[in-house]
């Protein structure tokens, strides 16, 4: 069984994330894909994330109808700074026979050696890189095994969606219509 793990802030989830997910399912032949929102990213210490319940709500709206895609709230339940090694070990324990693929955008490749317990992480999961416009292709930093997908390169980011919300600009189709509505109804990112 091939499992895809897709961690991030998802603040908010946007079309870039959904295209990453679709590319990974198609190109890797994943059986299931888990979106794993972080409680607090170790790399974004200065940014207070939107409350977890709202980020999860938006994820669930965005994934409605995708039966092989799930939201895994384990990092939110653990709380504090979220470390991928804890999450990957949890999957290795629950699915001992599965091959684990951890998805990252190209902007994260250079920092991989700084992730906690990098060597153990690299041993337990194959890291899968999805190209991101403006991000150069970087060779795999030791000891990671990287697989690069063709993807559907798209220059959308959560920062851009938040800036548009602040400026009162339309958010769809950069985020699904239901997510745009949830952002408006909850007065997020103003
Ligand atoms: P922000 O703009 O706030 O930094 P983000 O858009 O990068 O956020 P995250 O939730 O931090 O979104 O991203 C989760 C994962 O998805 C990361 O690995 C990130 O590199 C990847 N990702 C996000 N957007 C894209 C995109 N357009 N193309 C490829 N990968 C992406």
């Amino acid at each position: 069984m091939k499992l895809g793990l897709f961690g991030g802030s998802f603040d908010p989830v946007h079309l870039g994330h959904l295209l990453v997910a679709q590319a990974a399912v198609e190109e890797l032949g994943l059986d299931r894909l888990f979106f794993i929102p972080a409680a607090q990213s170790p790399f974004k210490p200065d940014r207070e994330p939107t409350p977890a319940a709202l980020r999860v709500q938006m994820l669930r709206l965005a994934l409605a109808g995708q039966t092989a895609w799930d939201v895994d709230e384990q990092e939110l339940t653990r709380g504090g700074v979220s470390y991928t090694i804890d999450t990957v070990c949890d999957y290795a324990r629950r699915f001992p026979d599965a091959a684990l693929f951890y998805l990252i955008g190209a902007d994260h490749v250079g920092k991989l050696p700084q992730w906690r317990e990098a060597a153990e992480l690299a041993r337990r999961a194959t890291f899968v890189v999805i190209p991101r416009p403006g991000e150069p292709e970087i060779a795999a930093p030791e000891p990671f095994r990287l697989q690069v997908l063709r993807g559907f390169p798209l220059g959308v980011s959560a920062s851009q969606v938040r800036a548009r919300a602040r400026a009162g600009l339309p958010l769809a189709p950069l985020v699904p219509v239901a997510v745009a509505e949830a952002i408006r109804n909850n007065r997020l990112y103003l």
Side-chain angles (χ1 to χ4, degrees):
M1 185 163 59
K2 291 182 168 184
L3 300 183
L5 311 183
F6 191 19
S9 304
F10 302 110
D11 193 6
V13 60
H14 55 70
L15 195 53
H17 298 129
L18 301 177
L19 291 180
V20 162
Q22 186 60 28
V25 167
E26 288 177 16
E27 294 183 40
L28 299 168
L30 298 179
D31 296 293
R32 278 175 85 186
L33 174 62
F34 296 90
F35 286 70
I36 311 169
Q40 172 76 53
S41 161
F43 294 114
K44 299 181 183 174
D46 302 330
R47 191 168 177 278
E48 169 88 2
T50 298
L54 286 169
R55 287 186 289 133
V56 168
Q57 182 196 343
M58 292 189 282
L59 267 171
R60 292 200 187 285
L61 288 170
L63 304 191
Q66 298 277 14
T67 49
W69 300 7
D70 294 307
V71 181
D72 173 359
E73 299 187 40
Q74 67 168 281
E75 294 188 356
L76 303 174
T77 306
R78 271 200 299 277
V81 177
S82 304
Y83 293 104
T84 301
I85 185 67
D86 299 331
T87 305
V88 165
C89 285
D90 175 71
Y91 276 89
R93 202 168 36 243
R94 285 191 293 142
F95 303 96
D97 298 326
L100 302 180
F101 294 87
Y102 197 92
L103 314 185
I104 54 170
D107 51 313
H108 285 293
V109 175
K111 283 209 198 113
L112 275 176
Q114 296 166 37
W115 287 27
R116 179 174 275 192
E117 294 187 48
E120 178 69 5
L121 199 51
R123 204 178 60 73
R124 288 190 177 266
T126 299
F127 277 71
V128 176
V129 182
I130 297 88
R132 206 168 173 175
E135 294 295 331
E137 229 179 85
I138 306 178
E142 275 297 321
F144 288 88
R145 293 162 285 153
L146 294 189
Q147 190 165 338
V148 180
L149 300 190
R150 288 192 305 279
F152 303 92
L154 180 78
V156 174
S157 68
S159 328
Q160 175 192 26
V161 171
R162 293 193 298 270
R164 287 180 67 88
R166 224 169 7 255
L169 294 170
L171 302 183
L174 299 182
V175 299
V177 173
V179 173
E181 225 169 86
I183 291 173
R184 229 188 349 265
N185 291 343
N186 291 290
R187 304 188 48 77
L188 297 180
Y189 313 125
L190 297 178

